[in-house]
Amino acid sequence: LKLRGGSTIIDLDDNTEVEEEEGDEEEERRKIQQQKQEEYEKLSKYRTEQQILYQLRSTYLSEMLALRGVPLPTITSVSTADGDKPPEKVDWDCAMCTDEDPKSCLYSFDAEPNTKVVAPLGTDQWISLSALNRLRRTDPTKVEPMW
């Protein structure tokens, strides 16, 4: 509607139509977002199932080839029951330096609390792991004569 003088009158019914269209657009966006989420979940589930099947096929193939004499690791060859395998002997003693149990170090006098320290078995010549690694990187010739 136009009045004399060129001004216009806004029809209230048009505003409600605009608001309804915006509500419809928002609802449409939510539906699209929900569809995308569902597609993503389906794809993720499919990929996970395919990865599991791939691993099963690979394990089965390894077992069958091992039965035919091909030197491949099998499930039984890499599995050990608890207690069947004795612990490996090491020549280093590892400890944690604490306030209650401080450790005197060769290289940096006393280790700070909550620092991991190592020493050859049967000695009390401790060194912190960080100091040992730093020394090994900067000057490896100093590490060997320490013990």
Side-chain angles (χ1 to χ4, degrees):
L1 294 169
K2 287 195 175 192
L3 299 176
R4 284 199 261 182
S7 56
T8 59
I9 298 176
I10 299 174
D11 190 6
L12 293 177
D13 291 337
D14 291 340
N15 282 339
T16 56
E17 288 178 15
V18 170
E19 290 175 2
E20 287 176 4
E21 288 176 9
E22 288 176 1
D24 291 341
E25 288 176 9
E26 183 64 32
E27 184 66 28
E28 190 68 29
R29 278 190 224 124
R30 275 190 241 132
K31 286 181 182 178
I32 291 171
Q33 184 67 24
Q34 186 177 4
Q35 287 175 344
K36 286 182 180 180
Q37 181 67 26
E38 289 172 0
E39 288 175 10
Y40 174 78
E41 289 173 0
K42 286 179 184 177
L43 181 62
S44 178
K45 182 180 176 185
Y46 172 78
R47 287 180 177 169
T48 302
E49 290 172 351
Q50 291 301 309
Q51 180 65 32
I52 291 169
L53 289 172
Y54 175 76
Q55 290 173 341
L56 286 172
R57 289 180 191 124
S58 176
T59 303
Y60 181 75
L61 182 62
S62 296
E63 295 290 328
M64 291 299 110
L65 288 173
L67 285 175
R68 293 183 179 193
V70 178
L72 288 173
T74 63
I75 292 175
T76 55
S77 71
V78 296
S79 301
T80 59
D82 291 336
D84 284 354
K85 187 176 181 182
E88 296 178 17
K89 293 189 177 195
V90 295
D91 53 351
W92 289 91
D93 192 12
C94 302
M96 179 71 80
C97 179
T98 61
D99 289 327
E100 296 81 30
D101 187 21
K103 303 289 184 194
S104 178
C105 291
L106 289 172
Y107 186 68
S108 59
F109 305 109
D110 289 334
E112 294 181 21
N114 299 323
T115 302
K116 294 176 184 172
V117 292
V118 294
L121 278 177
T123 69
D124 60 348
Q125 300 175 346
W126 299 99
I127 186 168
S128 69
L129 281 176
S130 57
L132 181 63
N133 281 332
R134 185 174 43 252
L135 190 61
R136 184 184 55 81
R137 281 190 216 107
T138 57
D139 193 3
T141 58
K142 291 183 180 176
V143 175
E144 292 199 19
M146 289 178 81
W147 295 283

